């Protein structure tokens, strides 16, 4: 019989739901609590991903406890449910691999792939919650007899439309702030104003609410695309684009690219050692792409945030895969919250077969940026 039970019953779910982080070591032990603190700190330091969410921490703590029991007793999870996670969600899987390396230091053994995928599932739930808390669309209401009527209209609309934020209620178009994203009005549409406008009834109908919901989604997409274009232009540098340079190995490529980044003032000489160490411990290859980045609190090694890119039709051997693309990411601490966005655009571009083929033939920085932006807008 097992000396420590697995927490899978409805009763244990109730215990989890009523726990606070401060109390959790009474149930999972101080070692696991300390391990969780290490995981939260390191994931945030390296990837800008904030796991400091009470519900996530508590549920993940019990998961780690059960995981360590499975490893100790050589129990195996069924892998049927985890087949596609590694390929379908590469960023989550990469973070899960890193977390598993931290857990392995406590367990004194490597985690099997299905356990890593299970960690990725936990991360996915948290990331989906965070994804839903996306940028609000700012709106103003233009209405006669404006204050109470406007408040009542917005209450009905916001009860049915997510991510809309009321900044003002006015009685004239002249009082609308030019920076607002959306105007809701009971008046005639004003064609002289170049802000999206939706005519609504004093008592909003179902069709009114549908129009507002559709407009909010479209505006969010437009705002995200603008923000995305800014990030692309900020981090990808023409002087850090390397087309059709032949390397004998992954280490040769790392050495060359890091030396170029150092000579241009983006990083210092210790950055290269961070990259070597990371690739030796946890290779960053994904299909025919390598995405090397430092794995330490290395802000002293990075002077300016940037992404260096190497593209070649002739692949080089990385660790386990042959790669045609290298995206070397160096981010200052204040920019690491953007790691997910940057990783996603790289990985999604590389899963678009047509764009990947065009990128392999690319030898111009402007064309490379165009391809990245085109993939985002598809």
């Amino acid at each position: 019989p097992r000396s420590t039970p697995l927490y899978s019953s409805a009763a244990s779910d109730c215990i989890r739901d009523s726990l606070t982080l401060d109390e959790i070591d009474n149930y999972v032990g101080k070692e696991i609590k300390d391990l969780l603190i290490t995981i939260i700190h390191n994931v945030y330091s390296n990837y800008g991903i904030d796991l400091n969410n009470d519900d996530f921490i508590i549920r993940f703590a019990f998961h780690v406890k059960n995981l360590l029991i499975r490893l100790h007793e050589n129990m195996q999870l069924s892998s049927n449910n985890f087949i596609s996670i590694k390929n379908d969600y590469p960023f989550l899987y990469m973070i899960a691999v890193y977390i598993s390396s931290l857990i392995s230091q406590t367990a004194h053994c490597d985690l099997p792939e299905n356990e890593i995928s299970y960690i990725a599932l936990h991360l996915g739930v948290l990331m989906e919650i965070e994804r839903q808390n996306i940028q609000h669309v700012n709106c103003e209401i233009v209405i006669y007899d404006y204050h109470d009527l406007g408040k009542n209209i917005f209450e009905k609309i916001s009860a049915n439309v997510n991510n809309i934020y009321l900044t003002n209620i006015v009685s004239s178009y002249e009082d609308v702030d030019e920076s607002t994203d959306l105007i809701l009005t009971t008046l005639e549409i004003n064609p002289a104003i170049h802000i999206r406008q939706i005519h609504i009834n004093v008592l909003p109908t179902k069709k009114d609410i549908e129009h507002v919901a559709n407009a909010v989604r479209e505006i969010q997409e437009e705002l995200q695309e603008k923000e995305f274009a800014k990030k692309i232009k900020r981090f990808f540098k023409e002087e850090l684009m390397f087309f059709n340079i032949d390397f004998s190995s992954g280490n040769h490529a790392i050495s060359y690219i890091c030396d170029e980044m150092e000579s241009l003032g983006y990083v210092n000489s210790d950055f290269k050692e961070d990259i070597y160490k990371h690739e030796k411990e946890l290779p960053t290859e994904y299909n025919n792409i390598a995405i090397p980045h430092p794995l330490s609190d290395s802000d002293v090694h990075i002077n300016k945030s940037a992404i260096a890119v190497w593209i070649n039709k002739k692949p080089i051997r990385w660790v386990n895969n042959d790669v045609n693309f290298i995206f070397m990411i160096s981010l200052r601490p204040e920019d690491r919250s953007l790691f997910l966005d940057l990783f996603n655009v790289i990985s999604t571009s590389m899963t678009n077969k047509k764009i990947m083929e065009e990128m392999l033939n690319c030898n111009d920085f402007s064309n490379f940026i165009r391809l990245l932006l085109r993939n985002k807008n598809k």
Side-chain angles (χ1 to χ4, degrees), residues 257-272:
I257 296 171
C258 288
D259 286 347
E260 288 294 310
M261 294 180 76
E262 182 183 352
S263 70
L264 292 166
Y266 288 96
V267 300
N268 68 21
S269 57
D270 294 325
F271 179 80
K272 186 194 299 185

Side-chain angles (χ1 to χ4, degrees), residues 170-181:
V170 297
S171 59
S172 168
Y173 282 109
E174 294 178 356
D175 298 323
V176 170
D177 189 324
E178 292 181 359
S179 66
T180 198
D181 301 313

Side-chain angles (χ1 to χ4, degrees), residues 36-50:
L36 289 173
I37 292 171
T38 297
I39 289 170
I40 292 167
H41 170 76
N42 287 7
V43 169
Y44 185 76
S45 294
N46 291 302
Y47 297 103
I49 304 298
D50 189 0

Side-chain angles (χ1 to χ4, degrees), residues 247 250-263 266-281 292-296 298 300-303 318 328-330:
F247 296 121
N251 282 345
H252 182 197
I254 289 172
S255 178
Y256 180 93
I257 296 171
C258 288
D259 286 347
E260 288 294 310
M261 294 180 76
E262 182 183 352
S263 70
Y266 288 96
V267 300
N268 68 21
S269 57
D270 294 325
F271 179 80
K272 186 194 299 185
E273 294 308 313
D274 274 355
I275 298 295
Y276 279 140
K277 182 179 179 183
H278 186 185
E279 295 306 317
K280 183 177 179 181
E281 295 176 358
H293 53 278
L295 203 57
S296 65
S298 57
V300 296
H301 306 331
I302 300 173
N303 302 321
W318 197 251
M328 187 171 291
I329 299 178
S330 61

